[in-house]
């Protein structure tokens, strides 16, 4: 079955960087677009970024554009989120999510999430 | 960008009640609308896609409808295991915006 496992979260000071990873298994990773979604403590879901199946196309939410970079390594079935210039408001659980297909890209599978805490 | 607004933000209903959640888009779009359920402390789970198609394995008491700008999720007979926050989401175009969520509790 599909499995997505995030890692890389932790406590980081404001202004510093962090890189999250998500490894997929149980499906052909290189066939699917992948997303990052975050959820601040006690808050709702916020879509962050997407990378196409081949890594050539990316989109970002306005809240992270210019600070975060989404990428993937299909040879390792891995998705990444490079987060720079972190702010307190970036504190959240970060989920990776798999698209159902290129033509219907709702999220049919989610990872368990990794917690990022930005604090001095 | 299209904004997604859910109502109500929270509701409390009795077991067996019919519950309806509304999701309104700031402008119309094709029916690329999904609903997710997030139980307390758990990962979001896909319930509905294409505005009204039930994901495999989701109980039939869940249904959804709508088009254009107005969409609804209905639980025909609320069960204790349905306590969760429900989110709508537009997909297939940037940005993949979620509604703010509707928290459903048992009275």
């Amino acid at each position: 079955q599909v499995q997505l496992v995030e890692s890389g979260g932790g406590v980081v000071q404001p202004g510093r960087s962090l890189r999250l990873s998500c490894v997929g298994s149980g499906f052909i990773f290189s066939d699917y677009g992948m997303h990052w979604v975050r959820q601040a403590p006690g808050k709702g879901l916020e879509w962050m970024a997407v990378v196409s199946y081949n890594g050539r196309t990316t989109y970002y939410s306005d809240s992270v554009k210019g600070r975060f970079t989404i990428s993937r390594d299909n040879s390792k079935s891995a998705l990444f989120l490079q987060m720079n210039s972190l702010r307190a408001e970036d504190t959240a659980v970060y989920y990776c999510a798999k698209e159902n297909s290129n033509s219907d890209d709702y999220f049919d599978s989610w990872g368990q999430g990794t917690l990022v805490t930005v604090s001095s | 960008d299209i904004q997604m607004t859910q109502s109500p933000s929270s509701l409390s209903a009795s077991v067996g009640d019919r519950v309806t959640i509304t999701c309104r888009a700031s402008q119309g779009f094709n029916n690329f609308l999904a609903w997710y359920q997030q139980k307390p402390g758990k990962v979001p789970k896909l319930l509905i896609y294409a505005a009204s198609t039930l994901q495999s394995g989701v109980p039939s008491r869940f249904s959804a409808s709508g088009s254009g700008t107005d969409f609804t999720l209905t639980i025909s007979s609320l069960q204790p295991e349905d306590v969760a926050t429900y989110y709508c989401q537009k997909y297939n175009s940037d940005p993949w915006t979620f509604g703010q969520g509707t928290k459903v509790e048992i009275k």
Side-chain angles (χ1 to χ4, degrees):
Chain A
Q1 75 280 20
V2 172
Q3 192 168 14
L4 299 169
V5 179
E6 301 95 336
S7 61
V11 180
V12 60
Q13 293 179 328
R16 303 298 290 266
S17 299
L18 204 61
R19 188 193 198 207
L20 305 183
S21 300
C22 166
V23 175
S25 60
F27 65 104
I28 302 173
F29 187 82
S30 58
D31 281 353
Y32 296 92
M34 296 293 296
H35 296 250
W36 287 100
V37 176
R38 71 183 179 185
Q39 186 169 36
K43 302 297 184 182
L45 302 173
E46 180 186 13
W47 174 79
M48 295 279 90
V50 60
V51 61
S52 62
Y53 69 99
N54 58 10
R56 292 176 186 168
T57 303
T58 59
Y59 293 102
Y60 298 91
S61 69
D62 288 343
S63 61
V64 304
K65 200 173 295 183
R67 296 190 300 127
F68 290 11
T69 302
I70 188 172
S71 62
R72 64 191 297 158
D73 183 344
N74 285 340
S75 70
K76 295 183 171 65
S77 296
L79 173 73
F80 305 104
L81 185 67
Q82 177 67 42
M83 304 186 295
N84 298 332
S85 304
L86 282 162
R87 307 165 179 166
E89 54 266 35
D90 296 319
T91 294
V93 174
Y94 285 72
Y95 297 101
C96 62
K98 168 189 165 292
E99 291 182 352
N100 176 71
S101 71
N102 287 333
S103 57
D104 277 311
D105 55 14
Y106 52 86
F107 304 164
D108 64 3
S109 300
W110 298 65
Q112 289 299 310
T114 187
L115 176 62
V116 173
T117 302
V118 183
S119 173
S120 54
Chain B
D1 292 350
I2 297 176
Q3 307 301 316
M4 308 299 291
T5 303
Q6 290 182 231
S7 61
S9 297
S10 65
L11 66 89
S12 181
S14 299
V15 172
D17 281 355
R18 183 180 184 89
V19 168
T20 299
I21 299 168
T22 297
C23 176
R24 174 162 289 174
S26 59
Q27 55 185 281
F29 61 98
N30 290 333
N31 290 349
F32 296 123
L33 193 284
W35 290 95
Y36 301 87
Q37 174 194 61
Q38 187 178 31
K39 295 184 178 181
K42 300 298 185 182
V43 174
K45 171 189 168 185
L46 175 68
L47 291 180
I48 301 280
Y49 61 92
S52 62
T53 303
L54 204 65
Q55 172 72 343
S56 176
V58 173
S60 58
R61 63 180 179 275
F62 290 92
S63 64
S65 63
S67 63
T69 59
D70 294 314
F71 302 87
T72 60
L73 173 70
T74 299
I75 308 173
S76 61
S77 177
L78 186 67
Q79 300 301 305
E81 59 266 34
D82 300 334
V83 168
T85 301
Y86 294 84
Y87 296 91
C88 64
Q89 181 208 26
K90 62 166 285 290
Y91 59 91
N92 266 34
S93 64
D94 170 49
W96 282 252
T97 308
F98 290 94
Q100 82 278 17
T102 296
K103 187 175 184 179
V104 174
E105 298 175 318
I106 300 291
K107 194 181 294 183

